[in-house]
Amino acid sequence: MMKLLDTLHRWTGGLLGLVLALLGLSGTILLYDYLWIGLPGTGDPLRGDLATVTATTEKLMAMPGAQGIIYADERFGLHQLRFGKEAGAYASQSGDLVTRWASQWERPELWIFDFHHHLFAGDSGEWVIGIAGLAGLFFVISGAILWWRTRKTFQLRLWPKRMSRPSIVMHHRDLGIIAAPLLLISIVTGTMMIFRPFAMVMIAPFGSPAEAAKAIEPPKYKGGPLVGKPDYTAMLAEARRRFPDAEFRILSLPRKPGDPISLRMRQQAEWLPNGRSTLWFDAANGELLGVRDALAMPSGAQAFNMAFPIHASKVGGWTWRIALTISGLAMTMLGSFAVWTFWFRRPKPAKRSAPRALATG
């Protein structure tokens, strides 16, 4: 049984280790994107008062092709404006454009994010990442079981003693058991965001998965066609009246005729950085169609909402960010060495001894 487990561990590592290594590396880089973007205004203090946000929203959404805004927050002081397919812009909190792009390839933080979440392949990439996540869960569990047999030889090393196969395997085994708790958290929370059935299993102890799934899905509202100049001032004022202490997070125009304008907010008690407290407005006349209070959602749904902030270090400050950095770098190293030893440092098959020639008289 242990031999079979070892074989499965090695083969799945050899096949999917590189994907996990790249996900670990890209995820680690994204933990610090707000520090290395390096544009003017990224460190500006948040100005979340209604008057400032309203004036800026009216100014930015009046730009031709504007489809929505991801508002600045305490960590990142620029608004992100969305135009069409991949185009976008960063703007200051007073509404002045800082930079603009026509494709995500012009902004490293965007294409790294796309790779980490989609492998540049949309929904198909999500399936690959989801499978890799489930495989990563298997690696952590099976690796801990396999390590137990050799626990007496444990040595903590940041790097293999030698670049020989035995040294790399020993390093892989011992580093894996040290990083296992953090890897487990990273993999579970990441896979929850990709595979909804897996997420429902994980939140089952907190409440009904069916109720959680229903609460998470946006309601189906139908309204009129988008008016030429929506009254954003009235919408933002209504949102602030409903959620007085909440931050404005995402404003989105309808994707197709009849869909509403949505406005997401984050209440102070929400962990999710973009919040899930949402208001929907009729795109034709600005009438409020519905409101969702994230703090009133079922406990299972609130547990699901915690997956992303835990996975992306949006809570816990620098202590948790450093912990996730260790997890990401460990995944990068473990996955890389697993592929290296499986494909390029495999043990050579033992040579059979040639039969000794019969002596001739």
Side-chain angles (χ1 to χ4, degrees):
M1 188 65 185
M2 295 297 287
K3 185 176 181 180
L4 174 62
L5 188 64
D6 180 71
T7 300
L8 290 173
H9 187 91
R10 286 188 294 108
W11 270 91
T12 49
L15 295 174
L16 291 173
L18 184 59
V19 175
L20 289 170
L22 292 174
L23 290 176
L25 180 60
S26 58
T28 303
I29 294 172
L30 288 173
L31 290 175
Y32 301 93
D33 60 352
Y34 68 101
L35 294 177
W36 54 258
I37 288 177
L39 293 172
T42 56
D44 288 353
L46 179 63
R47 297 162 58 192
D49 60 281
L50 181 60
T52 299
V53 175
T54 297
T56 302
T57 300
E58 294 283 4
K59 183 177 180 179
L60 294 178
M61 293 304 292
M63 297 180 64
Q67 295 186 354
I69 302 173
I70 301 176
Y71 291 102
D73 58 19
E74 292 182 352
R75 184 180 292 189
F76 188 71
L78 297 177
H79 299 311
Q80 182 178 335
L81 194 61
R82 295 185 289 112
F83 298 96
K85 195 172 183 181
E86 292 185 357
Y90 287 129
S92 69
Q93 294 182 55
S94 59
D96 299 320
L97 286 187
V98 175
T99 188
R100 189 166 181 170
W101 58 90
S103 167
Q104 69 171 8
W105 301 107
E106 299 176 38
R107 297 301 314 172
E109 68 275 13
L110 298 182
W111 64 257
I112 293 174
F113 181 89
D114 186 33
F115 174 82
H116 188 74
H117 287 252
H118 307 289
L119 295 178
F120 303 140
D123 293 340
S124 300
E126 286 192 359
W127 274 97
V128 175
I129 292 175
I131 292 170
L134 294 176
L137 190 60
F138 168 74
F139 292 152
V140 174
I141 297 172
S142 60
I145 296 172
L146 293 169
W147 172 84
W148 185 254
R149 300 176 302 169
T150 58
R151 62 190 182 279
K152 293 182 179 179
T153 63
F154 172 80
Q155 291 183 350
L156 177 60
R157 292 180 181 272
L158 296 179
W159 194 258
K161 186 176 182 180
R162 290 179 295 273
M163 293 308 292
S164 63
R165 187 178 190 279
S167 293
I168 292 175
V169 170
M170 181 178 295
H171 169 266
H172 178 98
R173 178 193 64 203
D174 293 340
L175 177 63
I177 198 65
I178 288 294
L182 291 175
L183 288 173
L184 197 63
I185 294 172
S186 296
I187 292 169
V188 167
T189 53
T191 308
M192 284 176 65
M193 293 182 287
I194 297 294
F195 277 165
R196 186 59 61 85
F198 177 79
M200 294 302 105
V201 171
M202 296 305 300
I203 66 173
F206 301 96
S208 167
E211 290 183 3
K214 183 178 179 182
I216 293 168
E217 291 297 322
K220 303 295 183 182
Y221 292 116
K222 282 295 181 182
L226 180 64
V227 70
K229 188 179 179 182
D231 189 353
Y232 299 111
T233 299
M235 296 179 196
L236 294 171
E238 176 63 20
R240 178 52 55 86
R241 188 182 71 81
R242 296 273 180 163
F243 301 109
D245 66 338
E247 299 174 10
F248 298 105
R249 294 305 310 128
I250 302 177
L251 174 69
S252 299
L253 294 186
R255 294 190 175 184
K256 59 181 186 291
D259 284 354
I261 296 172
S262 67
L263 177 62
R264 284 177 63 170
M265 305 185 74
R266 188 188 76 84
Q267 299 185 71
Q268 296 303 309
E270 292 185 64
W271 282 16
L272 197 65
N274 286 330
R276 208 174 283 274
S277 298
T278 312
L279 300 92
W280 291 272
F281 299 92
D282 192 321
N285 55 25
E287 178 188 353
L288 182 65
L289 300 176
V291 180
R292 176 171 61 194
D293 183 347
L295 301 182
M297 296 173 75
S299 55
Q302 296 198 43
F304 175 80
N305 291 340
M306 293 179 181
F308 176 74
I310 292 174
H311 182 81
S313 182
K314 302 299 184 181
V315 293
W318 278 98
T319 301
W320 184 239
R321 190 171 299 118
I322 291 171
L324 287 183
T325 301
I326 295 171
S327 174
L329 294 178
M331 184 181 292
T332 302
M333 193 177 298
L334 292 168
S336 302
F337 283 156
V339 173
W340 177 254
T341 55
F342 184 83
W343 293 106
F344 304 104
R345 285 292 185 269
R346 301 179 73 171
K348 297 180 179 179
K351 295 182 179 179
R352 295 184 179 180
S353 301
R356 185 175 298 177
L358 294 174
T360 56

